[in-house]
Amino acid sequence: MKFSLSQVTTLSIFFISILLMTACGDQAHPLFQSLNISANKAFTSKFSLLDSLDKPITLAAYKGRVVAIFFGYIHCPDVCPTTLAEMNQVIHKLGDDAKKIQVIFVTVDPERDTPELLSEYVHAFNPDFLGLRAIDEVAFEKMKRDFRVVVEKVEGKTPDSYTIDHTAGIYVFDQKGQLRILMRPDQTVDQMVEDLKKLL
């Protein structure tokens, strides 16, 4: 997996800020390979997204399941397909426990990522994955602020050939709807499986 210089800088700043915010967290929480962000109350689970049929989806719909949310876009050349492929491996390694996990891919490129394309894209990795988008620009901007998601558009040779540098972590909510961990891009599939099992 290769990152541009701007992506590396963006991700470094992001993860350093997360580490600083969670350094004084409750040590009673189980040890994770991922970043434990349980103590950070700045993140919110009160958001609503749209599915491929324009039906609003909230986190409450998945109460009782662990929810893994990843921000990306269909035209992403590296980190997005790699992450979705790895999450598919994670799901298979979890066996029967996979039924207790919901993977959600949220687009940071609503201009090009139509509901139909989003659905086709995520289902190519796993038929149970969901491809969702924000209700509108205002909701998207709020979600970026709430999740500390960095999104930076990089112009291409043509108006439609742009790329987007974005935060590449996977936000994981436990079965009670509480945000618990942030899985990093450098973690292995086995490490992610181990952390998800702890949440289950």
Side-chain angles (χ1 to χ4, degrees):
M1 183 184 345
K2 296 181 179 179
F3 296 97
S4 66
L5 179 60
S6 58
Q7 282 178 307
V8 171
T9 302
T10 297
L11 292 174
S12 297
I13 293 173
F14 175 76
F15 286 119
I16 288 173
S17 67
I18 294 294
L19 282 169
L20 290 174
M21 288 189 289
T22 59
C24 298
D26 183 357
Q27 297 304 311
H29 289 296
L31 296 177
F32 295 104
Q33 298 290 333
S34 310
L35 294 176
N36 186 339
I37 55 177
S38 302
N40 188 354
K41 304 304 180 184
F43 292 96
T44 178
S45 61
K46 298 183 182 301
F47 56 85
S48 182
L49 298 162
L50 295 176
D51 66 10
S52 60
L53 299 176
D54 283 340
K55 176 184 176 182
I57 299 290
T58 65
L59 194 64
Y62 302 103
K63 191 172 183 179
R65 301 173 72 179
V66 168
V67 177
I69 296 180
F70 174 70
F71 292 85
Y73 67 112
I74 291 175
H75 293 83
C76 178
D78 38 43
V79 67
C80 296
T82 298
T83 300
L84 287 170
E86 288 177 344
M87 285 306 296
N88 181 55
Q89 294 179 50
V90 167
I91 291 298
H92 284 292
K93 280 180 172 285
L94 283 169
D96 290 339
D97 283 338
K99 299 175 183 177
K100 304 173 186 176
I101 307 286
Q102 180 61 61
V103 176
I104 296 176
F105 179 85
V106 180
T107 181
V108 297
D109 187 17
E111 294 180 37
R112 295 182 296 188
D113 294 353
T114 65
E116 295 79 12
L117 289 175
L118 266 176
S119 181
E120 291 176 7
Y121 181 70
V122 297
H123 287 169
F125 294 92
N126 188 296
D128 293 323
F129 288 0
L130 290 178
L132 306 179
R133 68 193 192 286
I135 293 176
D136 53 33
E137 185 62 27
V138 174
F140 181 50
E141 290 300 321
K142 183 179 185 305
M143 196 170 191
K144 286 194 295 183
R145 290 194 303 272
D146 290 343
F147 280 83
R148 307 295 193 269
V149 175
V150 178
V151 177
E152 182 181 349
K153 188 174 181 179
V154 180
E155 299 297 338
K157 294 181 179 180
T158 64
D160 292 330
S161 65
Y162 61 85
T163 57
I164 298 177
D165 291 344
H166 60 89
T167 301
I170 302 173
Y171 301 81
V172 184
F173 292 81
D174 65 19
Q175 293 169 307
K176 295 180 180 179
Q178 299 298 312
L179 187 58
R180 299 294 304 281
I181 59 175
L182 181 68
M183 296 196 293
R184 306 180 311 275
D186 63 338
Q187 288 181 237
T188 66
V189 168
D190 287 338
Q191 288 175 331
M192 290 189 281
V193 169
E194 180 182 340
D195 282 351
L196 289 175
K197 284 184 175 180
K198 288 178 181 177
L199 290 179
L200 292 171

